[in-house]
């Protein structure tokens, strides 16, 4: 089983739709969680951190479910510019300097 | 402007010819790392460094070397490149790995080994 797993997609959604992605992780000692966005052939960029209590940034909401070992990203009112690959990142407590990336979920927002 | 700079951006070379990909950051970050990205496998960490003269292996270190003699620089060295090292490489830095500190990525280096 991979340490961090994501559905690769693609998720094809119309503009204005709400879409959600999940990311599961296998190491229960994982400590920190992030969502990154990556446009085609470009560098990943931090989208948002994921806090235990859940957090929101505009149209984006991130949540953590430690019991089931997954994090989620919800995008409301999708825009064409949201089309990208979304990567989840997990940091393990025992190896705090090592980040593990999921393979990413591709989102395509259409007219 | 705060940035991570990688060079070269593109390189085509042949098997066995030693090469170095440079990485430099101007944010005074302690933590730096190298990743390779391959289709279906995502980003995998090659090596990381928590500070000067401190480096450690990531998930896929075989065939690579790194050094951290200065805080700002973290070159990736391929002593004897092979075709399976053809990939997109990213360097990243962070002031601190834990907590909220984001990883700042360079623009990437597309490497082709023939």
């Amino acid at each position: 089983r991979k340490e961090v797993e994501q559905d690769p997609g693609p998720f094809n959604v119309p503009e204005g739709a709400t879409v959600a992605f999940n990311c599961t992780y296998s190491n229960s000692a994982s400590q920190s969680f992030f969502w990154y966005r990556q446009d085609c052939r470009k560098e990943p960029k931090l989208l948002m951190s994921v806090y235990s209590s859940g957090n929101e940034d505009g149209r984006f909401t991130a949540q953590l479910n430690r019991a089931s070992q997954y994090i989620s990203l919800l995008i409301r009112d999708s825009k064409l510019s949201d089309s990208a690959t979304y990567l989840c990142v997990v940091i393990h407590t025992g190896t705090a300097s090592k980040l593990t990336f999921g393979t990413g979920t591709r989102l395509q927002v259409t007219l | 402007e705060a940035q991570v700079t990688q060079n070269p951006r593109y390189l085509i070379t042949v098997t066995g010819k030693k090469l170095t990909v440079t990485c430099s950051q101007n944010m005074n970050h302690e933590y730096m790392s190298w990743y390779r990205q391959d289709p279906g496998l995502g980003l995998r960490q090659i090596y990381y460094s928590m500070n000067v003269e401190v480096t450690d292996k990531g998930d896929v270190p075989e065939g690579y070397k790194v050094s951290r003699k200065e805080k700002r620089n973290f070159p990736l060295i391929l002593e004897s490149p092979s075709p399976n090292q053809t990939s997109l490489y990213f360097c990243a830095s962070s002031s601190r790995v834990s907590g909220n500190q984001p990883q700042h990525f360079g623009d990437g280096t597309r490497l082709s080994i023939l």
Side-chain angles (χ1 to χ4, degrees):
Chain A
R1 184 185 171 187
K2 287 183 182 177
E3 288 186 62
V4 178
E5 290 198 75
Q6 294 183 252
D7 181 341
F11 284 58
N12 295 299
V13 302
E15 233 184 342
T18 294
V19 62
F21 313 131
N22 280 348
C23 168
T24 59
Y25 59 95
S26 60
N27 189 334
S28 60
S30 297
Q31 184 181 41
S32 302
F33 309 88
F34 303 89
W35 283 103
Y36 277 72
R37 171 196 168 122
Q38 185 176 27
D39 294 294
C40 188
R41 295 172 180 261
K42 296 282 185 73
E43 75 277 19
K45 292 184 179 176
L46 179 70
L47 181 65
M48 58 197 304
S49 304
V50 186
Y51 303 128
S52 297
S53 54
N55 48 299
E56 191 173 304
D57 183 2
R59 297 181 294 109
F60 299 85
T61 300
Q63 296 207 311
L64 166 63
N65 185 317
R66 285 195 185 272
S68 301
Q69 294 183 204
Y70 74 87
I71 62 172
S72 64
L73 177 68
L74 181 81
I75 305 175
R76 289 181 297 279
D77 189 22
S78 299
K79 311 288 184 194
L80 292 174
S81 57
D82 293 334
S83 298
T85 297
Y86 291 85
L87 309 172
C88 65
V89 179
V90 175
I91 301 178
H92 305 285
T93 303
T95 53
S97 301
K98 190 160 107 48
L99 285 72
T100 302
F101 283 77
T103 53
T105 298
R106 187 165 164 230
L107 171 66
Q108 184 67 49
V109 181
T110 57
L111 288 170
Chain B
E1 181 190 349
Q3 59 185 4
V4 178
T5 304
Q6 291 179 230
N7 278 297
R9 292 289 313 281
Y10 304 91
L11 179 63
I12 300 173
T13 188
V14 296
T15 299
K17 186 177 180 182
K18 181 180 177 181
L19 67 92
T20 300
V21 185
T22 63
C23 175
S24 181
Q25 50 93 4
N26 62 0
M27 295 168 279
N28 201 37
H29 284 169
E30 279 84 23
Y31 182 90
M32 297 184 74
S33 59
W34 276 102
Y35 299 86
R36 61 178 289 173
Q37 187 171 31
D38 303 288
L41 298 176
L43 275 155
R44 293 178 293 167
Q45 193 177 52
I46 303 170
Y47 268 95
Y48 63 93
S49 168
M50 294 182 71
N51 214 324
V52 175
E53 302 294 1
V54 179
T55 63
D56 211 342
K57 296 178 181 179
D59 296 312
V60 288
E62 295 77 22
Y64 304 95
K65 286 172 65 175
V66 292
S67 68
R68 189 89 183 274
K69 295 176 182 168
E70 304 166 285
K71 198 172 188 178
R72 62 182 292 128
N73 295 323
F74 191 45
L76 179 70
I77 303 155
L78 284 72
E79 293 272 4
S80 183
S82 62
N84 64 11
Q85 292 177 299
T86 292
S87 188
L88 177 59
Y89 291 85
F90 288 104
C91 178
S93 75
S94 172
S95 59
R96 214 172 39 161
V97 178
S98 61
N100 265 351
Q101 305 310 311
Q103 296 283 310
H104 296 262
F105 283 85
D107 290 339
T109 295
R110 190 163 289 278
L111 195 55
S112 294
I113 315 291
L114 305 177

